[in-house]
Amino acid sequence: MFIHIGDDHVIQSKDVIGIIDYSLVTSSTINEEMLEELKENQQVVVSEEDVTKAVVITAEKVYYSPLSVLTLKKRASMISTISRLEDYSENGVEE
Protein backbone atom coordinates (compact mmCIF):
# COMPACT_ATOMS: atom_id res chain seq x y z
CA MET A 1 0.00 0.00 0.00
CA PHE A 2 1.01 3.62 -0.41
CA ILE A 3 0.95 6.71 1.81
CA HIS A 4 0.58 10.23 0.45
CA ILE A 5 2.96 12.31 2.58
CA GLY A 6 2.22 15.69 1.00
CA ASP A 7 3.66 17.78 -1.83
CA ASP A 8 2.84 15.11 -4.45
CA HIS A 9 5.05 12.53 -2.71
CA VAL A 10 3.71 9.02 -2.35
CA ILE A 11 5.76 6.27 -0.74
CA GLN A 12 5.17 2.61 0.01
CA SER A 13 4.05 2.11 3.59
CA LYS A 14 6.35 -0.90 3.99
CA ASP A 15 9.37 1.37 3.32
CA VAL A 16 8.67 3.72 6.24
CA ILE A 17 11.17 3.30 9.04
CA GLY A 18 10.06 6.26 11.13
CA ILE A 19 8.09 9.49 11.26
CA ILE A 20 9.48 12.21 13.52
CA ASP A 21 8.14 15.64 14.43
CA TYR A 22 10.29 18.24 12.65
CA SER A 23 10.65 20.43 15.76
CA LEU A 24 12.20 17.48 17.62
CA VAL A 25 14.62 16.81 14.79
CA THR A 26 15.80 20.41 14.60
CA SER A 27 16.26 20.66 18.37
CA SER A 28 18.94 17.95 18.32
CA THR A 29 22.42 18.69 16.98
CA ILE A 30 23.01 15.01 16.19
CA ASN A 31 19.85 14.85 14.10
CA GLU A 32 20.72 18.10 12.34
CA GLU A 33 24.17 16.72 11.48
CA MET A 34 22.59 13.53 10.15
CA LEU A 35 20.19 15.48 7.94
CA GLU A 36 22.99 17.72 6.63
CA GLU A 37 25.03 14.63 5.73
CA LEU A 38 22.03 13.10 3.95
CA LYS A 39 21.39 16.39 2.10
CA GLU A 40 24.99 16.38 0.86
CA ASN A 41 24.45 12.84 -0.43
CA GLN A 42 21.19 13.94 -2.10
CA GLN A 43 19.11 11.59 0.03
CA VAL A 44 16.75 14.24 1.40
CA VAL A 45 13.62 15.37 -0.43
CA VAL A 46 12.79 18.89 0.74
CA SER A 47 9.92 20.82 -0.77
CA GLU A 48 9.60 23.87 1.50
CA GLU A 49 11.45 23.71 4.79
CA ASP A 50 9.41 26.54 6.33
CA VAL A 51 6.18 24.46 6.11
CA THR A 52 7.74 21.16 7.20
CA LYS A 53 5.96 19.52 10.12
CA ALA A 54 7.32 15.96 9.97
CA VAL A 55 10.31 14.02 8.73
CA VAL A 56 9.57 10.66 7.11
CA ILE A 57 12.51 8.27 7.12
CA THR A 58 12.84 5.40 4.64
CA ALA A 59 15.81 3.18 3.85
CA GLU A 60 16.51 5.12 0.65
CA LYS A 61 15.58 8.73 1.44
CA VAL A 62 14.35 11.18 4.04
CA TYR A 63 11.28 13.24 3.15
CA TYR A 64 10.23 16.57 4.67
CA SER A 65 6.44 16.53 4.92
CA PRO A 66 4.08 19.48 5.38
CA LEU A 67 1.67 17.09 7.14
CA SER A 68 1.74 16.55 10.89
CA VAL A 69 2.94 13.33 12.51
CA LEU A 70 -0.63 12.68 13.68
CA THR A 71 -2.03 12.99 10.15
CA LEU A 72 0.64 10.69 8.73
CA LYS A 73 0.02 8.19 11.53
CA LYS A 74 -3.72 8.19 10.77
CA ARG A 75 -3.02 7.59 7.08
CA ALA A 76 -0.67 4.72 7.89
CA SER A 77 -3.16 3.10 10.28
CA MET A 78 -5.96 3.43 7.70
CA ILE A 79 -3.79 1.55 5.23
CA SER A 80 -3.10 -1.26 7.68
CA THR A 81 -6.83 -1.49 8.49
CA ILE A 82 -7.73 -1.64 4.80
CA SER A 83 -5.16 -4.35 4.14
CA ARG A 84 -6.65 -6.50 6.95
CA LEU A 85 -10.22 -6.32 5.61
CA GLU A 86 -11.67 -9.46 4.14
CA ASP A 87 -12.70 -9.50 0.53
CA TYR A 88 -16.48 -9.08 0.36
CA SER A 89 -16.60 -8.32 -3.33
CA GLU A 90 -18.80 -10.35 -5.68
CA ASN A 91 -15.76 -12.38 -6.76
CA GLY A 92 -15.01 -13.38 -3.16
CA VAL A 93 -18.53 -14.59 -2.33
CA GLU A 94 -19.56 -18.12 -3.18
CA GLU A 95 -23.15 -18.83 -4.20
Side-chain angles (χ1 to χ4, degrees):
M1 300 298 265
F2 295 91
I3 301 174
H4 179 263
I5 60 170
D7 288 337
D8 297 327
H9 297 292
V10 179
I11 58 174
Q12 288 192 332
S13 58
K14 67 180 178 100
D15 293 340
V16 176
I17 295 171
I19 301 171
I20 305 170
D21 189 286
Y22 184 67
S23 63
L24 295 176
V25 172
T26 57
S27 67
S28 167
T29 55
I30 293 171
N31 287 333
E32 284 185 347
E33 289 174 11
M34 175 193 69
L35 288 174
E36 286 303 317
E37 180 74 26
L38 291 170
K39 281 180 186 179
E40 289 173 11
N41 295 330
Q42 299 177 345
Q43 292 178 293
V44 177
V45 179
V46 181
S47 45
E48 291 184 46
E49 205 164 337
D50 58 329
V51 296
T52 300
K53 294 182 182 174
V55 176
V56 180
I57 302 168
T58 67
E60 304 273 324
K61 293 194 182 282
V62 173
Y63 297 87
Y64 283 26
S65 174
L67 304 176
S68 71
V69 172
L70 182 61
T71 300
L72 293 169
K73 181 180 174 187
K74 286 179 184 177
R75 290 182 181 192
S77 69
M78 283 182 2
I79 288 170
S80 66
T81 301
I82 290 169
S83 65
R84 283 185 267 138
L85 292 176
E86 293 186 34
D87 183 10
Y88 290 108
S89 65
E90 289 181 22
N91 297 336
V93 177
E94 293 183 28
E95 293 182 34

